[in-house]
Amino acid sequence: MSTSPGLLGDTAARDYSHKLRLFNAFAEPELRRVIASLDLKPGARVLDAGCGTGEVLRWLADEVGPDGVIVGIDLATAHAAAARASAPATALVLQADLLKAPLRSESLDLIWCMNTINHLHDPVAGARQLASLLRPSGRIALCQSSVLPDMYFAWDARLERQANEAVRQYYRDRYGVSERDLAAVRSMVGVLRQAQLHHVSAQTFVIERVSPLGAADEAYLTEAIFRNTWGARLQPYLSSDDYDELTRLCDPQHPQFALRRPDFHFLQTFTVVVGER
């Protein structure tokens, strides 16, 4: 078990289960479409590396059928416990460092790794380690949300840009990293090629929502983004006018709440880069 924290502070004790559940419920239609695009065969052996709260394990199991094997692994104790509660009974969930996964080499057909590779200090070394678990011609699917900037406020690109830059600066300050240290989210093609994977391809899907929103969409945007990603933590990084305006737009009790506007239009990307051993 790794005892040093990941690049973004991940340890076995860290717990952001609620945010993971919100994202998976919000993005389920698109994530299922991405998984279907991988054309998994019945009976395939699949690892979800960084499985979080485990919802994806069920969707992967749907693709490989009753003869398939689904394994999830996550560093966080709370995430692994949540995954065990939500995964199919036939899935195996391990609480462990994915760089030291207790799995046989050359035993897997696919490794699904979503919003995880950028948490590693050395993403290329991580991809190489994961690739060692693949059978010949097995594949890794590195997945990352928001490779391109999200659109929240269709009517105010400037404030949206300020908020996104404030988030980036907050993370740089919190974890003592530079912008270049955080580049793995943009470099997945290079990561897989440097890890000696072959036939590397990339595809970007769009998650798009307009008002009126469904319950899962509103919960994710309000709780995971407006409250827990933005919120009071951004106040030091914004002018007082921008912070006040952002607060009004993010407050469900305020008449200007963004999600109630008839012109609300949200865009988020989800990029999948696949390489073959």
Side-chain angles (χ1 to χ4, degrees):
M1 178 72 64
S2 174
T3 56
S4 61
L7 182 68
L8 300 180
D10 294 284
T11 65
R14 196 172 181 197
D15 180 6
Y16 44 97
S17 303
H18 185 56
K19 187 173 183 179
L20 294 174
R21 288 193 191 95
L22 288 171
F23 176 76
N24 288 336
F26 158 74
E28 178 177 353
E30 290 79 12
L31 294 178
R32 282 183 173 272
R33 194 176 309 140
V34 173
I35 290 168
S37 77
L38 297 172
D39 192 27
L40 285 165
K41 304 303 182 188
R45 301 170 65 91
V46 180
L47 169 67
D48 184 347
C51 67
T53 47
E55 288 80 8
V56 173
L57 297 173
R58 287 189 278 109
W59 308 334
L60 291 167
D62 289 343
E63 295 294 317
V64 303
D67 294 328
V69 175
I70 300 295
V71 180
I73 186 170
D74 202 280
L75 177 64
T77 303
H79 298 174
R84 291 188 187 105
S86 66
T90 54
L92 173 66
V93 177
L94 304 171
Q95 189 265 314
D97 185 337
L98 65 84
L99 299 180
K100 302 174 183 177
L103 299 171
R104 286 189 297 107
S105 61
E106 300 189 357
S107 61
L108 300 169
D109 297 298
L110 177 80
I111 296 172
W112 168 275
C113 186
M114 180 173 75
N115 291 339
T116 298
I117 201 73
N118 59 306
H119 289 242
L120 303 180
H121 288 282
D122 189 340
V124 174
R128 286 196 187 107
Q129 180 61 34
L130 290 174
S132 73
L133 302 175
L134 291 171
R135 293 171 170 172
S137 300
R139 295 173 294 160
I140 294 179
L142 295 185
C143 314
Q144 188 69 43
S145 55
S146 303
V147 173
L148 299 176
D150 301 343
M151 182 175 83
Y152 296 93
F153 307 140
W155 59 92
D156 194 339
R158 188 203 64 82
L159 180 62
E160 179 184 284
R161 192 166 53 249
Q162 293 294 107
N164 284 329
E165 177 51 37
V167 170
R168 287 192 288 270
Q169 188 60 53
Y170 167 82
Y171 279 104
R172 290 195 291 267
D173 290 348
R174 177 176 177 179
Y175 297 114
V177 295
S178 70
E179 190 80 7
R180 288 181 177 177
D181 292 329
L182 301 175
V185 294
R186 296 166 56 90
S187 304
M188 294 184 295
V189 168
V191 165
L192 289 188
R193 286 181 170 157
Q194 289 179 69
Q196 305 302 306
L197 276 296
H198 307 291
H199 308 300
V200 176
S201 63
Q203 186 174 6
T204 296
F205 297 75
V206 176
I207 300 172
E208 188 166 20
R209 303 289 187 268
V210 298
S211 58
L213 298 175
D217 301 331
E218 184 160 328
Y220 169 70
L221 291 167
T222 302
E223 296 183 47
I225 303 300
F226 292 173
R227 188 172 301 149
N228 294 329
T229 300
W230 294 357
R233 65 171 63 175
L234 298 192
Q235 188 168 11
Y237 302 100
L238 295 170
S239 71
S240 58
D241 287 346
D242 283 346
Y243 180 73
D244 289 345
E245 183 176 2
L246 187 67
T247 299
R248 291 192 294 271
L249 289 169
C250 294
D251 181 2
Q253 305 306 315
H254 198 280
Q256 294 181 28
F257 181 48
L259 304 190
R260 301 277 193 271
R261 289 179 58 125
D263 56 352
F264 181 77
H265 183 190
F266 172 82
L267 293 171
Q268 182 179 28
T269 57
F270 188 84
T271 299
V272 183
V273 178
V274 179
E276 184 178 307
R277 184 178 175 197

